[in-house]
Amino acid sequence: MRLFRSFQQCAKSRSFATTTTTLSAGNNTALSATSLQSELPGTAPPHRSYIFLHTSQPPSEYPAKISTPVQRALLLKAAKWGGSVNFSWSKESPVIAARPPGEEKLQEYYMTAFSSARGCLEVPKVSLENVDEVEARLREHVEPATDASAQNDSSQDIHVYVCTHGARDCRCGDTGGAVVKAIRKELQKRRESNPADPSHRIKLAETGHVGGHKYAANVLVYPQGEWLGLVNPEDVPQVLDAILALPSRPLNANDAPLCPPHWRGRMDLSKEEQIELFRNASRS
């Protein structure tokens, strides 16, 4: 069964709605998959760089609105040139332990960032003390390399982020959580059956709020920069096959959309450019 759910349905399933509340059939029915899919292209927020600060707790434990001094300071600077800052968690990702309450200004983060110009950038420590230096590196990272020593990241890794920020919207927690479990299960199956399976390239993580709750599960694929929505557990094998068929680089305006039925958009393209790319690909 596909997990298209309205907020009212989701809340009711968690007993947030009272037993005396009655909803008409029309109000209690989620938007159809076809209607939601038609809205998807162009809904990825335009950005030149997406920046993840690694946390020691998963997004399922984040408060509804999460912000920290380091994140705010970095976002204030990065937003001026198209950078977006979020939080992420993975069992395998490096992380710096959380500071106790009252010491938030002393918190440090491991950071992973992506740009269409140079791919992946990792910084072992980001803090209020070095936020200016880190922002300068990020700003340089969104510009095309000018010499061989600063060429695109050559890693074959593909980073897949699923929004599981349930406190922000239960659809992300429910559907996003189910998709994460399905991806883990599928990756385990492939890797156990073939130790050399290309799925080893995929690094799975969970992320905080990305926008577009009604499109849950939202899946972000980097360094390619693809955003997918309306992904359900049964879609996972086909989505993973499509992801593994991608080139190991950021995609540009000439590359076809990944998984068209789920495609929300692409890094470094405006809303209008995303929609135009999708329309052109649909005609071909």
Side-chain angles (χ1 to χ4, degrees):
M1 180 179 68
R2 299 185 70 81
L3 299 175
F4 293 108
R5 310 175 70 187
S6 69
F7 180 80
Q8 290 88 346
Q9 289 174 307
C10 194
K12 184 178 180 181
S13 71
R14 295 185 176 189
S15 300
F16 292 150
T18 65
T19 55
T20 58
T21 299
T22 58
L23 298 173
S24 67
N27 291 335
N28 196 37
T29 302
L31 291 173
S32 70
T34 301
S35 175
L36 285 172
Q37 283 178 337
S38 68
E39 299 176 12
L40 283 176
T43 61
H47 59 287
R48 299 181 68 196
S49 174
Y50 211 86
I51 303 155
F52 295 95
L53 301 177
H54 300 199
T55 64
S56 57
Q57 77 273 26
S60 60
E61 298 178 10
Y62 292 173
K65 293 187 178 181
I66 179 171
S67 177
T68 68
V70 173
Q71 182 261 349
R72 290 194 295 271
L74 187 56
L75 179 60
L76 183 64
K77 297 176 181 295
K80 295 177 182 178
W81 45 261
S84 184
V85 185
N86 202 343
F87 298 95
S88 69
W89 173 86
S90 169
K91 293 179 180 179
E92 295 78 25
S93 295
V95 65
I96 298 174
R99 303 287 300 193
E103 296 186 7
E104 290 82 4
K105 290 185 177 181
L106 300 178
Q107 182 65 51
E108 299 173 341
Y109 296 94
Y110 192 99
M111 184 195 81
T112 303
F114 303 92
S115 77
S116 61
R118 305 194 194 186
C120 181
L121 171 68
E122 299 199 34
V123 177
K125 185 178 75 172
V126 183
S127 67
L128 286 179
E129 290 185 353
N130 72 346
V131 70
D132 289 338
E133 174 188 343
V134 171
E135 186 269 336
R137 289 187 62 184
L138 288 165
R139 187 161 18 94
E140 179 183 28
H141 192 67
V142 301
E143 301 299 337
T146 56
D147 58 74
S149 63
Q151 291 300 315
N152 286 3
D153 170 55
S154 60
S155 172
Q156 297 297 303
D157 290 346
I158 300 175
H159 300 258
V160 175
Y161 297 88
V162 182
C163 178
T164 57
H165 195 169
R168 186 64 179 259
D169 190 285
C170 59
R171 289 166 290 190
C172 299
D174 292 348
T175 313
V179 167
V180 164
K181 290 179 181 178
I183 293 176
R184 287 200 182 104
K185 183 177 180 180
E186 181 67 18
L187 290 176
Q188 180 180 7
K189 181 179 73 172
R190 295 186 185 201
R191 292 166 181 177
E192 289 179 349
S193 63
N194 179 10
D197 191 84
S199 64
H200 283 280
R201 297 169 54 207
I202 293 180
K203 310 299 180 184
L204 176 64
E206 301 176 39
T207 186
H209 171 64
V210 300
H213 313 304
K214 64 182 177 180
Y215 305 133
N218 290 293
V219 178
L220 282 54
V221 183
Y222 288 99
Q224 290 80 2
E226 297 291 77
W227 282 45
L228 305 179
L230 300 178
V231 178
N232 279 268
E234 61 266 33
D235 302 317
V236 164
Q238 293 80 11
V239 169
L240 289 180
D241 286 343
I243 289 173
L244 288 168
L246 292 172
S248 300
R249 59 166 175 78
L251 300 185
N252 57 50
N254 297 318
D255 293 307
L258 169 70
C259 299
H262 301 284
W263 196 73
R264 291 188 59 182
R266 178 172 299 163
M267 174 172 57
D268 213 17
L269 295 183
S270 67
K271 177 182 179 70
E272 293 73 22
E273 289 170 331
Q274 293 174 39
I275 293 173
E276 184 65 19
L277 173 60
F278 185 82
R279 287 175 177 169
N280 290 339
S282 300
R283 297 189 191 107
S284 61

